[in-house]
Each structure stands twice: as C-alpha cells, then as structure tokens.
Amino acid sequence: MLGRIDQARLEEMAQDEGFKSHLRRVHTDLQDYLTQPGWWTRTYGPQADNQPLVAYFCAEFGITESLPVYSGGLGVLAGDHLKSASDLGVPLVAVGLLYQQGYFRQRLNADGWQLELFPRNDFANMPVTLIRGPDGGPLTVTVEMGGRQVHIQTWRVNVGRVSLYLMDTNVPGNTPEDRQITSQLYGGDQEMRIRQEIVLGIGGVRFLRAAGLNPKAFHMNEGHSAFLGLERIRLLMQDKGLSFGEAWEAVSASNVFTSHTPVPAGNDAFDPHLIDKYFSHYWQQLGLSREAFLAIGRQDPANREEPMSLTVLALKLSTCRNGVSELHGQVSRKLWSNVWPGLPDEEVPIESITNGIHTRSWISSDMASIYDMYLGPDWQEKPADMAVWRAAERIPDTELWRTHERRRERLVAFARERLRKQLALQGAGASELAAAQEILDPEVLTIGFARRFATYKRASLILADIDRLTELLNAQGRRVQIIFAGKAHPRDNPGKDLIRRIVHTCRQSAFRQSMVFLEDYDLNVARYLVQGVDVWLNTPLRPMEASGTSGMKVAANGGLNVSILDGWWCEGYHASVGWVIGSGESYDDLEYQNTVESQALYNLLEKEVVPLFYDRGNDNLPRGWIARMRANMCQLAPVFNTNRMVRQYAEQFYTAAAGKWTQLQADNFGGAKSLAGWKLHVRDQFHEVRVESVQDDMAAATQGARVGRNIRVEAVIHHGGLRPEDLLVELYYGPLDSEGKLQTGQAIPMEQVGSAGDGRIRYAAQMPCQRSGMTGYTIRILPCHPGMANPRDMALVKWA
C-alpha cells in the first residue's frame, strides 16, 4: 500500500500532527497485541528455549490480497490458521513458496470464456523481507534436482506473532529452468510439481536448520510437503548415526498430517520414472533400495506399477492424522484403508478436526461495530467462547437488519462497478456500460455462489430448469438475484465451460437485471460477497466437499446457508440456522441426481427461503429471517472459527507430537532405538501369533443372551516368539447386517486369566449386551508398546 502512495504525500503526512497521533495509537495497539501473553503462554507457559514448537508447511497461504501466493480454499485456510496461531500465541513458524507469478488473474472474453493472466509479483513492494546470513548476503540452502544443485533463498512475512518463510529459486546461479520452479502456483506439469514439492519439503527443512530454528513437531497441511519427513530422517541418520528405522520412529511420532482432498485423483502421485530422476541419489542416503523407497508411498508396497503417492507417504510418516470435517474424516478412513489392511474402516487411524475461519478477518466493519457494542471485546479475543456469542440475542432486530442492509447495498454497488470494468475490458459499448450501473437491486433477496469452478461443485445446478428459474427470479414483489464468481483451473476446460454457460445465461433478457458473474474472484471480492449476501448457495456432489469455509464466513456475518449436506454443513446444519438440499442421499445416475437435487433446490427457495425473507410486518422487518441470522451468530460463529480449530490442533496434536519427540530423542535417541528394535522383532515374529480357540458361556445361560446380561468370552492365544506384554488382545463385537457380517463394532481389551500350556495364554472379557437384535463378536490381536501412540499404526492385526 505504501509503495503505491506518492512520496510527496507521505512526506506531507509525516508533518501532520493529527495523522502522526493516530499512527502512534495504532502502533501502540499493535505492540500490545504482539507482546501480551496469549492463550498458549497462559496454558502451557512460555517456551523456555525461545524456539518454535511447530513448523507448519503448506504450498499456499492466503493472508491478504497484497501477497498473492494462494489459489483458493487451502491457502485461505492456511492463512487463517496462521492468524489464529498468532492470536493464541502458539509458538509456530510456517514454510511455503514465494511464487513469482502466484495464481493467475482471471479475465473473460466477449464469449464468456476464461482467459488467464500471470502478472509478476513485485517483491520490492510486497510485505516480504529477504533473510540474510551472517555475511550480509542472502541465506541460501541447496537441494539436488536431477543431478544439479538448486539454490534457494527465503523471504519472511510477519503474520502477527507468527513468522511465515517463503522460499524462492529465482536466484542468480540457478539455471533458467530452475529459476522457474517457484514461478507459478500449481503451474506446469507433473515434473514441475515434483520439483516444487522437493523445494517445499526438503528445502524447507534445510532452511529451518540453516536459520537455527529447531521445531519439535512438523505439520504437513496437505501432501505437497510430504518429502519433509524423508529429509528429517536423512538428517538424523547423518547427524546422529541412527538407522533408517530408528530415525523413522522419531520423525513419524512428531509429524502431523492434514488431508484436504476426498478423492484419489486430487492427491499428488508420481510415476516411478520421475522418482528415479529426482531421488536416485536420495534413497541411497537413506540406506534403502529403489523398491523399498517407492514402497513407502504406495498403498500396496508389492505393486510395482503403483505410483508414489505423497498422501500415502505423509500418512505413513505421521502419527497424528486428520481430515477437515467429521464427514471428511469418515471418507478419508475409507479412502486410505488399504494403508492399514485388516482394520475396519472406522478404526483406520485418521481423526477429524473441522476447519474454521479467522473471524476478525471476515467480519464486516459494520457488523464488528455491532458486536463491539453488544458482545464486548471478548468476541475478538475469545471467538470460540459460546457464552460470549450468546450475547448476540441482545442485538435489536432493527439494528441488526439495517446493518445487514447496508452491507447488501455496498455489495450491489461493488458488483455494478466491477461489472462495468470487466465489460469495458471486453470492449463493450456505452449503452452496455450504462446498463451495468443498473443491474441488481439493493433491496432484493441476494444469493451468492462463489468458489473454484470444478465440475463437482455443480455451479450450474440452479440453472437446470430455466423456466422455473425465470419465475423464481422475477416474481412480482418477491424477486431474487444471484451473484456468481470463481475461477476454473487453467487446464480445466469443463470448468471453464461452466463459467461460459453461466455468463451466457446472465445475458438473457430474463436475467439481465438479476444475475451477474464477477470475474477475477479474490479475497477482496470474497469479503464483499460473504458480508453482503442474504443466502450462500453450496451445491457440491456429496461427499466431495471436504469442508468448505465460505459458508462459515457468511454465517458469522449473519447470512444464511442453503447447502447440500456435505463438508462442514453436516455439523453446522440445524433447522434454526439454514436449509439443506435433499437429505444426503446419493445416486448411481449423476444426471438423475442433478435433476432430483435441482428440483429440491427450487422447492426450497420457492416455499421456504423466499417467503421467509419477504414476510414483513408493518415495520418492514423480516422477523423470522432475523431470528435465523441471530441463531447463526449464537450457534455457528463460536464453533466454526480457526481459534477453536488451532486450539484443537495444539491440544490434540502439537503437544502430543512434541512430547513424543522429546521422549524418543532423549538419551541420544534411546527411546527411538528401543522402539525401532522392538518393531523389527515384532514384524519378524508376528506371523506365528494366532487365536487358537474361542468359547463363551452362552450354552450355560438358561435364558440365552439378554439385554443387561454380560456374556463371558474366553480365548486361547499362541504368542509365538513374542511376550504377552507385546500384544493387545481385544474382544471386538457389534451388530450384524442382513448377511450376518459384523460391519462396525467396538473393541474392549481382554485380560490374562491363566496359562494354557506350551506358550499359550488364556484371555477373558465380559461382552456387554446393550441392545436387542443380532450381535456378533470375534477376537483380534494387535502389537502393543508404551512408546506407540496407537496400536493400530503398525498395520499388523490377527483376527480369529
């Protein structure tokens, strides 16, 4: 911003006492924020060694539009994660890439087809500072790339109390080809992608080491940075003389991995020839053969045709793993169940932490003033406190509605000006430019649909029945208008065709005043939309929306959601806060599903949403609508925010991962060595473990199995070459399906009750009978060690 202001104006303001006084107040507020202890310090105390606890890696970060190194939801989520980490005082540093061109700028031609522009970022006028070494020159690290050394320099961004380090290969001394590695976000082919991910994962770890930063835990936000786990192992082998297995234990125990992608095609995987080209020197340093190296990233290690998946690599190289909503956690457990063969899907060790938003970044200034008045400052300092948000009940209807109407008016004004500019760039005439100043109505029910234009998000679902849509948008006295925005990936022609179809529909006479597509969707456009719309429309194919966060931003501003029951909305939906399209069902015939759900959407809008908005009393206030706005603030805002989310990561994952690192690296990594040796022995002997017999006391029961009466189950276990303390014997029981199969169940540990001779031990447990109906049980055996976070992690299990 300062770089765009004329220097003479800056010098003039430097002599303005009123301006300088205000500047001093702002600066004092900032220093108070930076120096006051946050939630982390109050809970866990200050970091004794002044080192970061966690390093957070991501391929993109959406901090602000002045730092265009993001493309969409993943980057915005990562940016909000850092802002909340700063608010909470979590000792975290972040690592990413500084792209010379970032993500593309979108332009539409006269036909509505998306064109991509790639303006170069001006680092000199961006909020970045080059990291320098002791000699005053740039601090650089190198990575080997296809037989040559690539030099990397790093820039720092201050995100409040959190430092974000962005790596850059556009360095003198690199070849022109290597200088292009950090040219574009998600640009190029698979070979460019693997180069970027080597720089991010391997180069990122080397930078932290060169900068003297020694985190105890590493968080991989999506699989792009998965190579960091291998580099951490290599460094431990090099510096501490550990074996690959010993280093693996220390590294995997202190790694956190978050998956954001619910479909296999969305996860990066590289064919063996690319791995050969870029890692043939590397697996030797790990003491591995080519096949052993490739197997780390395969669901089936024996399948030599399977590519090396970075998601599989990250899953195996982590102990803390999660999806980004409860539904996505379920989908991920099923999607990656082959990494842990033999386990029921619900026991695959992938948890869920639902995404959120950084509330202060997305609340309009108008709504923030209302919150300041009626909720007090705690809504900013404690955005995850339910008690704070209950005070929203005190906001008067009139004040809440007038505030929202002002935001809608500003959205309409913004949309008009934005459309006028994009039409001018397309060469529109004077009459068309004048007409752009009259589109939309600031008093009409306004629906927003803005996101990445991937086909599964079904942006055109609301266009399925044009006649019905025409009636909906043009009903006398109850009109509706829709604002679309979003980008398709440069290589996604079906997504681009969706945009063109919407643009053509907007130009039809029936929709010219009530439907518009705004080009070049970015953080600024997003703010106007989520702060000004009445309804946020979300129509993905379930369960392909991992989480979604735009609807959370709308809810915090008082807008309402109309959505497929997918992602976060499965947890957020209640009849008092919004609406669902359908009931979560799915069909084999996609065309039929689109028809069913588009009709459900029209019914919902015609019969519930539109009438509720226009149901006004003498004061012209939609009291029923306002009640839902207030319910959004009270019920959704305190839950779906990144302060809650980051606290969950800190409490469930970061402290556990850092604690495991401390434990395993003590006494010259004695814990890691012991655990690795134990695992080697268990894998060698586990094939001899078996369940020899199982019996229960059903025959002795006079009335059979009854609710409230436990069943005693006993099993004889052959331990082979393992000790009893090496194994966890469990009774696994649950309801049977119509085919007599035990699909989902729960496990309870069995206790040793005596010896059965010849190295065999008898175990017993009481199976509770808590519900009527067909019930089954079985016995299973898992490895067990106090140093393991989860006995299922080894992917070894024997069933009766």
Side-chain angles (χ1 to χ4, degrees):
M1 184 191 72
L2 294 177
R4 295 185 177 185
I5 298 174
D6 183 75
Q7 185 63 30
R9 176 62 174 166
L10 292 176
E11 292 174 358
E12 177 187 345
M13 297 310 296
Q15 306 304 318
D16 186 309
E17 290 302 323
F19 178 82
K20 288 195 293 183
S21 175
H22 182 53
L23 179 62
R24 282 191 292 270
R25 287 195 298 271
V26 172
H27 185 258
T28 299
D29 289 344
L30 175 61
Q31 294 309 309
D32 287 345
Y33 169 84
L34 294 175
T35 56
Q36 287 179 357
W39 164 82
W40 175 275
T41 301
R42 294 193 299 270
T43 306
Y44 298 103
Q47 287 291 102
D49 54 5
N50 202 32
Q51 284 283 342
L53 182 83
V54 184
Y56 179 90
F57 281 64
C58 191
E60 52 173 306
F61 288 90
I63 309 294
T64 168
E65 52 267 45
S66 68
L67 191 66
V69 292
Y70 60 91
S71 71
L74 176 67
V76 173
L77 184 279
D80 283 7
H81 190 114
L82 300 194
K83 293 173 186 178
S84 282
S86 173
D87 290 346
L88 296 168
V90 177
L92 178 147
V93 295
V95 180
L97 301 177
L98 184 59
Y99 302 98
Q100 296 156 41
Q101 296 179 341
Y103 206 52
F104 69 91
R105 304 295 300 272
Q106 181 193 55
R107 289 288 179 268
L108 302 181
N109 67 14
D111 186 41
W113 187 258
Q114 174 181 289
L115 306 175
E116 295 89 30
L117 306 176
F118 293 92
R120 295 184 68 85
N121 286 329
D122 179 8
F123 294 177
N125 273 316
M126 288 168 61
V128 297
T129 303
L130 184 63
I131 302 297
R132 299 187 179 276
D135 61 355
L139 178 65
T140 61
V141 295
T142 61
V143 294
E144 187 169 333
M145 198 83 71
R148 61 188 182 277
Q149 295 296 318
V150 175
H151 303 277
I152 306 166
Q153 63 185 10
T154 305
W155 305 73
R156 185 180 68 243
V157 181
N158 295 322
V159 186
R161 291 184 269 205
V162 169
S163 292
L164 166 61
Y165 296 100
L166 299 174
M167 292 177 293
D168 167 25
T169 65
N170 188 19
V171 176
N174 283 341
T175 66
E177 179 184 13
D178 292 337
R179 295 181 76 157
Q180 293 299 309
I181 293 173
T182 53
S183 175
Q184 292 180 10
L185 172 60
Y186 304 142
D189 54 13
Q190 281 290 88
E191 190 154 6
M192 178 59 78
R193 183 66 65 86
I194 197 172
R195 291 173 185 165
Q196 289 185 337
E197 291 170 351
I198 289 170
V199 171
L200 176 61
I202 297 177
V205 170
R206 293 182 183 179
F207 162 74
L208 292 175
R209 178 183 171 94
L213 299 172
N214 300 294
K216 294 180 178 180
F218 285 70
H219 186 169
M220 297 172 280
N221 194 43
E222 197 54 285
H224 306 117
S225 58
F227 291 136
L228 74 80
L230 297 176
E231 178 62 9
R232 293 186 66 203
I233 289 174
R234 189 193 69 81
L235 288 172
L236 286 180
M237 294 174 69
Q238 170 189 289
D239 297 346
K240 303 298 181 181
L242 302 184
S243 68
F244 178 81
E246 294 164 350
W248 176 289
E249 295 304 328
V251 168
S252 62
S254 56
N255 276 350
V256 177
F257 171 58
T258 299
S259 170
H260 292 259
T261 310
V263 290
N267 295 269
D268 281 346
F270 300 108
D271 290 332
H273 77 274
L274 276 178
I275 301 298
D276 289 341
K277 180 173 181 179
Y278 289 98
F279 285 92
S280 59
H281 69 288
Y282 199 87
W283 62 64
Q284 298 171 11
Q285 298 176 52
L286 298 176
L288 299 177
S289 66
R290 174 182 182 271
E291 285 306 316
F293 183 81
L294 287 166
I296 302 172
R298 289 170 169 164
Q299 294 196 66
D300 179 4
N303 181 2
R304 297 195 171 201
E305 301 302 316
E306 184 181 338
M308 188 175 192
S309 164
L310 291 201
T311 299
V312 173
L313 179 64
L315 287 169
K316 290 182 178 180
L317 272 169
S318 303
T319 300
C320 302
R321 318 168 187 91
N322 72 286
V324 290
S325 68
E326 289 182 7
L327 177 60
H328 182 232
Q330 298 170 19
V331 171
S332 297
R333 286 188 285 275
K334 186 173 183 179
L335 183 62
W336 304 110
S337 60
N338 288 337
V339 178
W340 293 273
L343 286 179
D345 288 353
E346 70 272 11
E347 290 198 350
V348 168
I350 300 175
E351 301 178 44
S352 61
I353 294 179
T354 303
N355 282 345
I357 63 164
H358 185 252
T359 309
R360 287 196 294 172
S361 293
W362 295 102
I363 291 288
S364 71
S365 57
D366 308 75
M367 196 62 74
S369 297
I370 292 285
Y371 289 161
D372 286 342
M373 185 179 303
Y374 293 97
L375 277 63
D378 278 354
W379 78 269
Q380 298 191 49
E381 298 167 9
K382 302 175 183 178
D385 190 329
M386 296 289 289
V388 170
W389 288 94
R390 278 197 292 269
E393 295 284 359
R394 298 200 300 264
I395 304 174
D397 286 0
T398 301
E399 198 164 350
L400 181 57
W401 185 244
R402 299 304 177 224
T403 300
H404 176 65
E405 286 192 311
R406 284 197 300 274
R407 290 309 314 177
R408 192 191 315 116
E409 290 168 4
R410 289 176 189 168
L411 169 60
V412 169
F414 173 80
R416 288 171 173 174
E417 180 61 18
R418 189 92 173 187
L419 180 62
R420 188 193 66 78
K421 289 180 178 179
Q422 71 188 51
L423 290 173
L425 289 172
Q426 294 170 9
S431 61
E432 194 173 359
L433 293 177
Q437 298 299 314
E438 298 179 3
I439 63 150
L440 306 179
D441 185 326
E443 297 183 358
V444 166
L445 171 61
T446 303
I447 298 174
F449 183 100
R451 52 194 30 87
R452 182 166 55 90
F453 265 66
T455 51
Y456 79 84
K457 293 179 182 284
R458 298 191 296 179
S460 61
L461 191 69
I462 198 169
L463 309 182
D465 188 333
I466 291 296
D467 292 338
R468 199 167 175 184
L469 181 64
T470 301
E471 293 179 10
L472 177 69
L473 267 58
N474 297 289
Q476 187 66 31
R478 295 193 167 194
R479 291 178 49 223
V480 177
Q481 57 196 15
I482 308 174
I483 302 176
F484 291 94
K487 298 176 179 178
H489 189 279
R491 292 193 295 274
D492 182 7
N493 286 332
K496 292 182 181 182
D497 199 54
L498 268 178
I499 293 174
R500 178 166 58 181
R501 180 183 170 192
I502 290 172
V503 170
H504 282 209
T505 305
C506 292
R507 292 172 179 171
Q508 294 180 22
S509 58
F511 306 121
R512 198 179 299 275
Q513 296 298 314
S514 56
M515 210 158 71
V516 62
F517 185 97
L518 303 181
E519 70 180 14
D520 204 26
Y521 184 46
D522 63 4
L523 293 181
N524 188 42
V525 176
R527 273 192 292 271
Y528 274 95
L529 283 167
V530 301
Q531 293 170 6
V533 297
D534 301 294
V535 169
W536 194 253
L537 182 61
N538 187 40
T539 53
L541 269 174
R542 176 186 164 103
M544 298 179 72
E545 184 89 329
S547 173
T549 58
S550 53
M552 302 175 190
K553 302 175 179 93
V554 173
N557 280 285
L560 309 184
N561 280 268
V562 173
S563 175
I564 295 290
L565 204 59
D566 197 9
W568 80 281
W569 196 231
C570 295
E571 300 158 60
Y573 168 70
H574 185 272
S576 63
V577 298
W579 296 272
V580 291
I581 304 166
S583 57
E585 68 275 14
S586 60
Y587 304 86
D588 294 332
D589 186 334
L590 177 58
E591 186 175 344
Y592 178 67
Q593 181 166 353
N594 288 341
T595 300
V596 169
E597 292 182 342
S598 64
Q599 294 303 311
L601 172 58
Y602 292 132
N603 289 336
L604 200 59
L605 293 173
E606 292 167 351
K607 298 176 181 179
E608 295 194 39
V609 179
V610 175
L612 186 68
F613 182 85
Y614 285 106
D615 183 12
R616 312 286 177 96
N618 293 331
D619 55 7
N620 199 33
L621 292 179
R623 301 282 181 178
W625 191 277
I626 295 169
R628 288 184 181 241
M629 292 175 64
R630 193 177 284 107
N632 271 264
M633 298 168 183
C634 294
Q635 297 177 37
L636 301 184
V639 177
F640 298 100
N641 63 78
T642 44
N643 279 46
R644 182 271 310 159
M645 181 192 81
V646 172
R647 278 187 61 165
Q648 274 190 270
Y649 277 112
E651 293 168 343
Q652 294 177 217
F653 287 172
Y654 294 165
T655 53
K660 279 293 182 184
W661 170 261
T662 300
Q663 175 187 338
L664 292 174
Q665 63 89 41
D667 298 324
N668 194 28
F669 289 88
K673 293 174 182 176
S674 173
L675 182 57
W678 177 85
K679 284 188 175 182
L680 200 62
H681 175 62
V682 168
R683 287 194 174 96
D684 185 56
Q685 298 293 322
F686 199 73
H687 68 281
E688 296 185 4
V689 175
R690 60 184 179 271
V691 181
E692 290 205 339
S693 65
V694 181
Q695 63 183 26
D696 57 49
D697 63 357
M698 283 286 294
T702 57
Q703 295 180 316
R706 297 182 66 84
V707 172
R709 176 191 175 275
N710 292 343
I711 296 173
R712 180 179 173 85
V713 179
E714 292 191 2
V716 174
I717 306 299
H718 183 271
H719 284 252
L722 298 177
R723 302 168 302 168
E725 56 265 36
D726 293 332
L727 300 174
L728 173 65
V729 181
E730 291 181 326
L731 171 68
Y732 185 84
Y733 69 99
L736 303 180
D737 64 15
S738 59
E739 298 179 356
K741 294 181 179 179
L742 204 169
Q743 297 287 358
T744 60
Q746 59 188 103
I748 55 176
M750 303 184 75
E751 296 181 355
Q752 297 181 41
V753 294
S755 171
D758 298 326
R760 299 174 302 158
I761 297 179
R762 189 179 303 280
Y763 289 79
Q766 296 286 336
M767 185 177 81
C769 296
Q770 298 167 326
R771 59 181 295 276
S772 59
M774 292 294 292
T775 301
Y777 73 84
T778 186
I779 309 297
R780 71 178 180 190
I781 311 169
L782 299 162
C784 182
H785 188 282
M788 289 173 58
N790 189 326
R792 296 184 286 274
D793 275 340
M794 285 185 69
L796 293 176
V797 60
K798 284 289 181 71
W799 293 88

